[in-house]
Amino acid sequence: MHLVIAGSGVIGLSTAWYAQQRGHKVTLIDRSVPEDAGGCSFGNAGMVVPSHFVPLAAPGMVALGLKWMWNPESPFYIKPRLDFGLMSWAWKFMRAATPAHVEKAAPLIRDLSLASRAAFEELSLQGDFGLVKNGLLMLCKEARTLDEEGHTAEKARQLGVPAEVLDAAATAAIDPGVRMDVAGSVYFPLDCHLSPSRFIASLRQRLEDGGATFLTETEITGWRRSGRKVEAVQTSRGDVTGDEFLLCGGSWSPTIARDLPVSLPMQAGKGYSVTVPNPRQLPRLCSIFTEARVAVTPMDGTLRFGGTMEIAGLNTDINPVRVQGILKAVPKYFPDFQPSDFTDLPVWRGLRPCSPDGMPYLGRFAACDNLSTATGHAMMGLSLAPVTGQIMARLLSGEAPGFDLTLMSPDRYA
């Protein structure tokens, strides 16, 4: 078959790769150019995290979000605006943030994450993208936070995800490359990290070598349908016909699909990162500053700091106040770092596609026989990219997906 994919971020590329391995012809359409590293697939923290089995919509997140949004430097911010889509999304988010939702979602996210980790290992044998399997530390400044993370560690162990609570001395011993000022940490040995830009480049090169077609700098303007089938994607370069069509547009997916009989509630969660090229200290493990919600990743000799969740629409402007919130947190956990370490460094930003219940949209749409989607992964896009590609390639090939996709149905808000 000929598979046409709208979007060439990490999800679209992963699906294209696994589809190509099944002998399918693949065309990817994207409004950007390959050299544009502005998409959320490029400058993220590069973490593969089986430890992150709790969806974004979880108990306590609404109250925490309301508390944080009054602080301009906080990890979470919703820009007030008269927008029915935002209000509807927020209502759905509140309804989803329940213990029952987490209980149903956690085992599925665990299974997806472990399968994706295994896929990354397999892919790393065919190309080097800096996969490092040292684990992850959830660094806690306060004893109270360490106790809370200890409960999460216990839940992880119940789900079969190894986790170990460490005091300050044990934390320093496991990663002596950086001096830390913390009460302790939770160590997740199965977590990994890699270079997202190298992974993207690796997938793209493999696809080009296999004969995939890339239509870059190409805007999708509409869809041509006949009955229950899509016949073509209408673009700024003309119509692109195919047998199967896949929507992988990230935060832009609802906009791309506006002419289709589908409903994908989504908000763009802007994140930022700053990469220090020659850090004064280089940790061995990736980590998260738990209270500050800042991710830290050693990457090819550099050190990347990233964070924030800014709900401000499809807006790629850089808010320097939000960036300062990330940078001010660094010396609190890594006291040898100084503000001058970040002077004049470029700031990356990307828009994460966030569904109201924190689960991806994955599968076929009921309204169209040959239209599917894989989007809405929020902060799990890179981590779940290979397993998402495997699932979609199976579905599009008429095979069983290998997972129960009920919680990720693209029609759950139809």
Side-chain angles (χ1 to χ4, degrees):
M1 69 172 181
H2 180 197
L3 171 62
V4 179
I5 301 177
S8 63
V10 71
I11 300 297
L13 290 172
S14 296
T15 303
W17 165 250
Y18 287 106
Q20 191 179 73
Q21 295 309 291
R22 282 168 167 74
H24 302 308
K25 178 184 176 182
V26 180
T27 297
L28 298 101
I29 306 171
D30 205 289
R31 62 191 181 87
S32 63
V33 295
E35 296 76 18
D36 179 13
C40 67
S41 298
F42 291 87
N44 59 60
M47 294 180 178
V48 182
V49 282
S51 62
H52 286 40
F53 52 84
V54 177
L56 185 62
M61 278 305 298
V62 174
L64 192 58
L66 290 172
K67 172 186 174 183
W68 274 340
M69 70 178 295
W70 303 110
N71 177 2
E73 295 182 354
S74 69
F76 181 79
Y77 175 70
I78 297 180
K79 182 179 180 179
R81 62 188 192 275
L82 288 174
D83 185 320
F84 175 77
L86 173 61
M87 291 185 286
S88 176
W89 181 92
W91 172 250
K92 292 179 175 68
F93 184 95
M94 288 189 290
R95 293 193 65 182
T98 65
H101 174 58
V102 173
E103 185 176 350
K104 288 189 295 184
L108 174 59
I109 298 175
R110 172 206 59 197
D111 292 345
L112 292 170
S113 296
L114 293 175
S116 210
R117 184 189 188 278
F120 273 116
E121 289 189 282
E122 182 179 351
L123 289 167
S124 70
L125 300 176
Q126 306 167 39
D128 182 18
F129 43 83
L131 181 66
V132 179
K133 297 177 285 185
N134 287 342
L136 173 144
L137 292 171
M138 296 292 298
L139 299 175
C140 303
K141 281 284 294 180
E142 302 174 8
R144 175 181 58 82
T145 310
L146 185 59
D147 288 340
E148 293 172 354
E149 289 301 308
H151 294 307
T152 302
E154 177 57 31
K155 293 176 183 175
R157 289 190 289 267
Q158 292 172 5
L159 286 168
V161 178
E164 184 180 355
V165 180
L166 307 177
D167 60 17
T171 301
I174 202 172
D175 200 351
V178 60
R179 188 166 74 90
M180 294 176 274
D181 182 7
V182 296
S185 66
V186 175
Y187 173 52
F188 290 98
L190 289 185
D191 286 15
C192 313
H193 65 271
L194 54 86
S195 167
S197 59
R198 285 170 63 186
F199 181 63
I200 290 288
S202 172
L203 282 179
R204 187 179 182 92
Q205 187 61 57
R206 296 182 202 192
L207 285 163
E208 289 178 345
D209 291 345
T213 300
F214 285 85
L215 299 178
T216 58
E217 296 182 273
T218 303
E219 294 283 348
I220 293 176
T221 58
W223 303 77
R224 194 175 80 228
R225 291 186 291 133
S226 176
R228 291 181 51 84
K229 286 205 168 189
V230 174
E231 292 184 334
V233 182
Q234 297 169 325
T235 80
S236 54
R237 293 191 180 190
D239 289 3
V240 180
T241 60
D243 302 308
E244 290 280 352
F245 297 84
L246 180 65
L247 180 62
C248 290
S251 295
W252 283 267
S253 295
T255 301
I256 295 173
R258 60 185 175 272
D259 295 333
L260 295 169
V262 302
S263 177
L264 293 173
M266 191 101 73
Q267 287 296 314
K270 190 188 303 180
Y272 302 95
S273 72
V274 175
T275 303
V276 181
N278 298 296
R280 59 181 65 233
Q281 294 179 334
L282 189 63
R284 188 176 68 92
L285 281 70
C286 59
S287 61
I288 293 178
F289 299 160
T290 304
E291 293 89 351
R293 298 298 200 276
V294 171
V296 186
T297 309
M299 199 175 292
D300 298 331
T302 70
L303 191 58
R304 179 168 293 173
F305 299 91
T308 81
M309 177 65 78
E310 180 183 345
I311 308 295
L314 294 175
N315 178 341
T316 57
D317 294 342
I318 293 174
N319 185 339
V321 177
R322 312 293 302 165
V323 180
Q324 282 304 309
I326 297 172
L327 303 184
K328 284 183 179 180
V330 177
K332 296 177 182 177
Y333 293 80
F334 293 173
D336 289 341
F337 281 78
Q338 301 175 5
S340 59
D341 294 330
F342 306 101
T343 301
D344 297 328
L345 291 181
V347 176
W348 172 91
R349 80 284 178 266
L351 302 181
R352 313 179 193 97
C354 301
S355 69
D357 57 6
M359 299 296 288
Y361 295 112
L362 207 60
R364 288 190 181 277
F365 289 105
C368 294
D369 294 337
N370 62 340
L371 177 67
S372 306
T373 190
T375 189
H377 291 70
M379 294 171 288
M380 299 185 290
L382 177 74
S383 188
L384 296 183
V387 72
T388 297
Q390 291 175 342
I391 290 170
M392 295 311 303
R394 291 174 194 144
L395 278 176
L396 295 166
S397 302
E399 304 168 19
F403 296 86
D404 183 351
L405 305 184
T406 304
L407 290 178
M408 300 183 289
S409 168
D411 293 314
R412 63 187 185 270
Y413 292 111

